[in-house]
Amino acid sequence: MLISKINPEQLTQEQIMTLLYPGDPKESEMFGDCIMVFGNGNLDRAKKAIQLYKEGRAPIILFSGGDKWGERNEIEAMFMKEFALEQGVPEEAIVVETLSNHTKENVLASILVLDRALGIHKIKRIIAVSNSGHLRRCLLTLKTYMPNWIPFVMVGVDVELPANWWNIRPIKERAEKEVRSLIQYINEGQLEDEEIAL
């Protein structure tokens, strides 16, 4: 079924999880030219990227994210970069994109940064890091706006949802909001549509 045709009011909790999380990548695909971290106000995504870098999964980390229209005291990408430096990642292994305020801008603004740092034409694979519930949107945004020859490996942060997440109102409402946003952006033409087995 195409995501654009999904009725969000009729989804089960398992279907919501399938829709938002594209699944774990194969071990053989867990290598790339760059680890791209989508901006966020906390360090969970940065920690995962640092772990992947230290495992030798890619030689460069790209931290993406601005100050969310002035709502944040620090620029997200710089906050994550400083943390990575403290964790022993060398400065030459880090690039930053500091202009974006949301997922679409993360990708659009990162294209120029990646081209200047690596040469966009040379990139064979990107490892993209975000929260598990944000990965489908990240994947579709990358597919829509990044050059179509670049494949993506989607990696979620190691945060376990409680078994009863469906009964925890803030978590359930956040997941339902992400589903509605995903469908809305596809129907507006901001994101590519995709077939998904639910």
Side-chain angles (χ1 to χ4, degrees), residues 176-192:
E176 290 174 333
K177 180 176 184 248
E178 180 66 16
V179 167
R180 287 191 301 272
S181 295
L182 192 60
I183 294 167
Q184 174 190 335
Y185 297 148
I186 289 170
N187 285 319
E188 288 174 353
Q190 291 194 57
L191 294 178
E192 280 187 19

Side-chain angles (χ1 to χ4, degrees), residues 59-78:
I60 297 287
I61 302 175
L62 164 62
F63 292 116
S64 178
D67 64 1
K68 196 130 185 195
W69 297 283
E71 292 176 12
R72 300 214 163 108
N73 293 329
E74 285 189 278
I75 292 174
E76 293 172 350
M78 297 307 295

Side-chain angles (χ1 to χ4, degrees), residues 3 6 11 13-23 131-139 154 161 165 171-183 196 198:
I3 295 174
I6 291 171
L11 294 176
Q13 66 187 70
E14 290 81 14
Q15 289 173 322
I16 287 176
M17 294 295 288
T18 300
L19 177 58
L20 297 183
Y21 183 60
N131 293 358
S132 296
H134 185 232
L135 283 183
R136 180 75 63 183
R137 184 175 0 162
C138 293
L139 175 60
M154 310 308 292
L161 276 177
W165 73 269
I171 298 176
K172 180 182 178 186
E173 287 177 352
R174 187 172 187 180
E176 290 174 333
K177 180 176 184 248
E178 180 66 16
V179 167
R180 287 191 301 272
S181 295
L182 192 60
I183 294 167
I196 188 168
L198 291 181

Side-chain angles (χ1 to χ4, degrees), residues 28-71:
S28 62
E29 296 174 343
M30 285 285 288
F31 295 91
D33 301 294
C34 177
I35 301 162
M36 178 180 175
V37 186
F38 284 79
N40 189 297
N42 64 49
L43 292 171
D44 290 341
R45 301 175 191 185
K47 289 175 185 174
K48 186 65 178 180
I50 293 163
Q51 174 197 330
L52 293 170
Y53 171 81
K54 289 184 175 180
E55 289 173 0
R57 304 292 183 169
I60 297 287
I61 302 175
L62 164 62
F63 292 116
S64 178
D67 64 1
K68 196 130 185 195
W69 297 283
E71 292 176 12

Side-chain angles (χ1 to χ4, degrees), residues 109-123 149:
S110 292
I111 292 172
L112 179 58
V113 172
L114 286 172
D115 191 43
R116 287 180 175 175
L118 302 172
I120 198 92
H121 58 288
K122 297 178 183 176
I123 296 175
W149 69 81

